[in-house]
């Protein structure tokens, strides 16, 4: 039988031998855990009585009491009163314990012995709700479930044990079982195959392989900067944003950077200038939506804010008027801004005046990511790392380098086409005309 839960499909086998007498939960039906799905009869002659009792009482608790009662009674005997059938039955000491597999597992975990306990299930069977009401006794919690054992000469194995045995060329019937009732488990087969079991033996504590490092533990108050970042990130949730991504080939851009790097030009400066030049063609992306006036606020200045990680926080130094400054000036300003950011010397106007934001994680090898929209802006561009990829060129495969960029935009005034056209023009500049960045 296959049982489908909200997380997995599981093969479930009956732990008792017998004949399938009545099905109370049809295929595709839903039942609570621990509820009966079918009844077995120990003998073929008892099937009609169990089927009749199940049909008369339904699949509720009454059926669980009535059905086995009918099977236990001789064919010529009158059925016992319903009240007598429903009464709990006590298992005498030394007798075989009749309990559901779940009840046995629960009893072992709880540390109670099922010997001598009363069962309210079918034919006095101990079920899960009986174990829930039991008080832990002297039986050890780790002890194997007492009672049921497989009959002599009968072997049983879990579906996974059979699968592992087949994969390792082992006849599972030759393996000694340590599972419930002597059932062969996956670990039994693995041990027989000379492989380590997946589950450590009960009671054996896993020894640490190395000394545990000292890691922070427990709450720690946010710093002033972390508090400000947290509040800004919460404020971003007010804007309905969307994201558009595009791959941009960087071979020619990389060549340009390599030629300028000895002169102190940084990647951040080149990317900021490229973004600023593209924003000139798309002023809507450089604008922001003002809820108080229900208007789009355009800005003649293009101030590119770049996210910088610093000790204990995040800050966005701003390259003002990046579209009209030469690349050497931008690089020099950027070095000064980063130095001030790391020393805590930025003035408010140097990190709060951005009209558009850039977050570049390419240096960390990130292949793709999206950013949250900073308050007071209409867009932020997330730039991932550049990596080789194969493309078709003149009918032949060729290797090029490309990076993925993702624009997060405020959907209240920036639409999908606006974002797509912005990324198209940015890609055209970086791929085909990077020299325009420095002219």
């Amino acid at each position: 039988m296959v049982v489908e839960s909200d997380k997995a499909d599981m093969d479930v086998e009956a732990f008792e031998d017998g004949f399938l007498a009545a099905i109370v939960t049809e295929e595709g039906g839903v039942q609570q855990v621990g509820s009966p799905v079918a009844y077995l009869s120990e003998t073929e002659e008892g099937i009609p009585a169990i089927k009749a009792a199940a049909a008369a009482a339904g699949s509720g608790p009454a059926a669980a009491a009535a059905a086995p009662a009918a099977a236990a009674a001789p064919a010529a005997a009158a059925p016992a009163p319903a009240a007598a059938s429903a009464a709990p039955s006590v298992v005498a000491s030394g007798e075989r314990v009749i309990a559901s597999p779940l009840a046995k597992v629960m009893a072992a975990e709880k540390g109670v012995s099922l010997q001598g306990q009363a069962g309210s299930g079918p034919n006095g069977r101990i079920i899960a709700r009986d174990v829930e009401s039991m008080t832990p006794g002297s039986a050890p919690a780790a002890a194997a479930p007492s009672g049921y054992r497989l009959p002599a000469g009968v072997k049983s194995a879990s579906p996974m044990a059979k699968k592992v045995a087949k994969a390792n060329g082992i006849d599972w019937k030759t393996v000694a079982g340590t599972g419930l009732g002597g059932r062969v488990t996956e670990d039994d087969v693995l041990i027989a195959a000379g492989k380590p079991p997946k589950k450590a033996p009960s009671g054996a504590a896993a020894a640490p392989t190395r000394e545990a490092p000292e890691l922070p533990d427990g709450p720690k108050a946010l710093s002033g900067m972390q508090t400000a970042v947290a509040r800004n990130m919460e404020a971003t949730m007010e804007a309905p944003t969307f994201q558009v991504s595009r791959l941009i080939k960087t071979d020619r851009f990389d060549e340009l950077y390599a030629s300028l790097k000895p002169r102190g030009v940084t990647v951040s400066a080149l990317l900021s200038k490229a973004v600023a030049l593209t924003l000139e063609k798309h002023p809507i992306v450089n604008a922001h939506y003002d809820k108080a006036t229900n208007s789009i606020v355009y800005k003649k200045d293009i101030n590119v804010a770049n996210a910088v990680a610093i000790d204990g926080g995040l800050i966005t130094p701003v390259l003002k008027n990046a579209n009209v400054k030469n690349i050497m000036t931008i690089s020099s300003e950027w070095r000064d801004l980063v130095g001030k950011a790391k020393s805590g010397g930025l003035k408010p106007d140097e990190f709060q005046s951005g009209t558009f934001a850039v977050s570049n994680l390419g240096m960390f090898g990130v292949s793709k990511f999206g950013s949250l929209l900073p308050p007071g802006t209409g867009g932020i561009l997330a730039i991932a790392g550049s990596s080789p990829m194969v493309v078709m060129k003149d009918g032949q495969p060729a290797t090029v380098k490309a990076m993925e960029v993702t624009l997060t935009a405020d959907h209240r005034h920036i639409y999908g086409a606006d974002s797509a056209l912005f990324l198209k023009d940015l890609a055209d500049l970086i791929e085909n005309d990077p020299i325009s960045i420095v002219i």
Side-chain angles (χ1 to χ4, degrees):
M1 177 178 70
V2 177
V3 177
E4 180 181 351
S5 72
D6 58 344
K7 292 182 174 63
D9 293 346
M10 297 163 286
D11 292 320
V12 178
E13 294 182 359
F15 289 97
E16 306 286 350
D17 293 329
F19 298 88
L20 181 61
I23 298 175
V24 296
T25 303
E26 297 295 334
E27 182 176 359
V30 179
Q31 269 288 19
Q32 294 293 325
V33 175
S35 300
V37 296
Y39 292 111
L40 297 178
S41 174
E42 293 183 355
T43 63
E44 192 171 359
E45 293 76 15
I47 292 177
I50 293 179
K51 186 177 293 185
S59 60
S85 302
S89 174
V90 178
V91 179
S93 178
E95 292 186 1
R96 170 187 170 190
V97 174
I98 302 177
S100 70
L102 178 59
K104 293 176 181 179
V105 172
M106 291 176 61
E109 293 176 348
K110 197 172 182 180
V112 298
S113 172
L114 298 183
Q115 200 74 40
Q117 298 284 2
S120 62
N123 201 28
R125 184 184 181 92
I126 299 173
I127 57 178
R129 65 168 175 262
D130 298 325
V131 179
E132 290 175 353
S133 62
M134 295 178 185
T135 303
S138 58
S146 61
Y148 175 72
R149 296 292 300 176
L150 290 169
V154 176
K155 296 285 290 186
S156 175
S158 69
M160 185 57 69
K162 294 177 181 178
K163 182 178 179 180
V164 173
K166 183 177 181 181
N168 287 274
I170 294 177
D171 182 1
W172 65 265
K173 295 181 181 178
T174 64
V175 178
T178 61
L180 185 64
R183 194 183 200 205
V184 178
T185 66
E186 179 184 2
D187 282 348
D188 296 331
V189 177
L190 289 173
I191 293 173
K195 298 180 179 180
K198 288 189 174 181
K199 182 179 179 182
S202 59
T209 57
R210 64 183 180 92
E211 185 177 348
E214 290 190 13
L215 299 174
D217 186 29
K220 180 182 178 181
L222 295 180
S223 65
M225 176 173 290
Q226 290 172 326
T227 301
V229 171
R231 288 174 180 169
N232 283 339
M233 293 304 99
E234 290 176 352
T236 66
M237 299 295 100
E238 297 179 3
T241 60
F242 69 104
Q243 295 182 336
V244 178
S245 300
R246 181 186 177 112
L247 282 172
I248 298 179
K249 301 181 187 68
T250 62
D251 294 272
R252 296 182 64 181
F253 180 86
D254 292 341
E255 292 175 2
L256 176 66
Y257 169 61
S259 67
L260 295 173
K261 182 179 179 181
R263 300 175 61 185
V265 175
T266 64
V267 172
S268 295
L270 288 170
L271 290 173
S272 296
K273 180 65 180 290
V275 167
L277 291 173
T278 307
L279 287 171
E280 285 184 350
K281 301 178 181 180
H282 304 274
I284 188 69
V285 182
N286 195 50
H288 78 271
Y289 173 79
D290 183 62
K291 185 176 181 180
T293 59
N294 191 32
S295 61
I296 301 173
V297 181
Y298 288 91
K299 298 146 187 178
K300 64 178 182 178
D301 296 330
I302 297 178
N303 301 335
V304 181
N306 283 264
V308 173
I310 58 176
D311 186 23
L314 175 73
I315 201 164
T316 53
V318 178
L319 289 167
K320 298 180 181 178
N321 301 306
N323 58 315
V324 296
K325 292 180 179 177
N326 64 61
I327 196 64
M328 299 306 298
T329 300
I330 294 175
S331 294
S332 177
E333 289 183 357
W334 181 243
R335 283 193 298 272
D336 292 341
L337 288 168
V338 171
K340 289 181 180 180
K342 292 183 177 180
S343 64
L346 283 177
K347 298 176 183 178
D349 186 57
E350 291 176 321
F351 64 88
Q352 294 179 351
S353 57
T355 60
F356 185 86
V358 172
S359 179
N360 182 8
L361 294 179
M363 71 288 291
F364 298 111
V366 174
S367 59
K368 179 182 179 181
F369 74 105
S371 296
L372 296 178
L373 183 68
T377 62
I380 179 172
L381 187 69
I383 302 176
S386 179
S387 57
M389 62 180 296
V390 178
V391 298
M392 295 302 294
K393 189 175 183 179
D394 299 327
Q396 297 294 327
T399 302
V400 299
K401 293 188 70 177
M403 64 182 181
E404 182 158 337
V405 298
T406 300
L407 176 66
T408 300
D410 189 336
H411 214 335
R412 290 174 294 188
H413 69 289
I414 300 174
Y415 307 135
D418 299 321
S419 295
L421 291 172
F422 170 82
L423 293 182
K424 176 179 178 296
D425 288 341
L426 179 64
D428 183 60
L429 175 63
I430 293 176
E431 292 178 353
N432 305 317
D433 193 23
I435 195 64
S436 296
I437 299 173
V438 298
I439 294 178

